Amino acid sequence: MDEQRWLTYQDLHGPQTVRLSVGEWVIGRGEDCEIVVKDYGCSRRHAKIVVAPDGVRIADLKSKSGTHVRGRPVTEARLEDGDEVRLGMVVFRYSEGLPPEPPAFEGGSVYGEPSPGLARLTAALQRPAGSINGDTRIGELGDSLPTLMYAMHEIGKAFGVDLPFQSVRDLKTVGELLDVIERRQS
């Protein structure tokens, strides 16, 4: 009988569980990856997991932030049951055997720790249209400065505008953010 191998993680899409079958699994932000991760700390094609009958290996694909296994940077490593792998800001847990419990750290995470601010931000951004307006204070959308800056960066990307974190750090309202986006679109 085939041994079951699993990868669990949480990104901005929420908790994820992937059953790994024999073959190659590219992980990254790119839509062409077998495992697409919503985290801009990950490269488009960040790492590759190779599942073979004799074991599982991970290789970094020359990513910018590197691949870490058991807390150490690696270019290639063998994965063992229970290993933690970090790509960008997402922590993956590799396990063998029965399906694992879904990740318990709901609401967003950085290195596996809960982030209530990200949960509130996600909920705020899913409000019905019109409930967030130009006078909405950005601080109402979440409580963590890095989370808010990341969200503003993401909002800019949705409008096709690259907003460096330095350009959004002092904004106070959604209206100010939209003004910056409009100026950069011109």
Side-chain angles (χ1 to χ4, degrees), residues 26-37 43-45:
V26 175
I27 305 171
R29 289 189 343 256
E31 294 297 324
D32 60 331
C33 295
E34 284 73 25
I35 301 174
V36 178
V37 178
S43 297
R44 283 185 177 84
R45 295 176 56 84

Side-chain angles (χ1 to χ4, degrees), residues 91-108:
V91 175
F92 296 80
R93 288 178 181 82
Y94 171 74
S95 59
E96 298 173 348
L98 295 175
E101 290 294 318
F105 39 89
E106 294 183 24

Side-chain angles (χ1 to χ4, degrees), residues 5-11 14-20 27 35 37 49 79 81-87 89-105 109 112:
R5 296 175 173 104
W6 304 90
L7 204 58
T8 57
Y9 64 99
Q10 178 163 329
D11 61 6
Q16 309 289 326
T17 301
V18 178
R19 182 175 180 188
L20 300 171
I27 305 171
I35 301 174
V37 178
I49 292 180
L79 294 180
D81 187 28
D83 276 349
E84 285 193 356
V85 176
R86 182 171 50 86
L87 309 177
M89 292 175 44
V90 177
V91 175
F92 296 80
R93 288 178 181 82
Y94 171 74
S95 59
E96 298 173 348
L98 295 175
E101 290 294 318
F105 39 89
S109 71

Side-chain angles (χ1 to χ4, degrees), residues 55-101:
V56 178
R57 301 194 66 77
I58 188 166
D60 186 78
L61 298 177
K62 299 181 182 176
S63 66
K64 289 182 181 179
S65 60
T67 297
H68 296 77
V69 176
R70 294 178 226 90
R72 297 182 184 264
V74 299
T75 54
E76 187 174 335
R78 181 179 178 86
L79 294 180
E80 303 291 337
D81 187 28
D83 276 349
E84 285 193 356
V85 176
R86 182 171 50 86
L87 309 177
M89 292 175 44
V90 177
V91 175
F92 296 80
R93 288 178 181 82
Y94 171 74
S95 59
E96 298 173 348
L98 295 175
E101 290 294 318

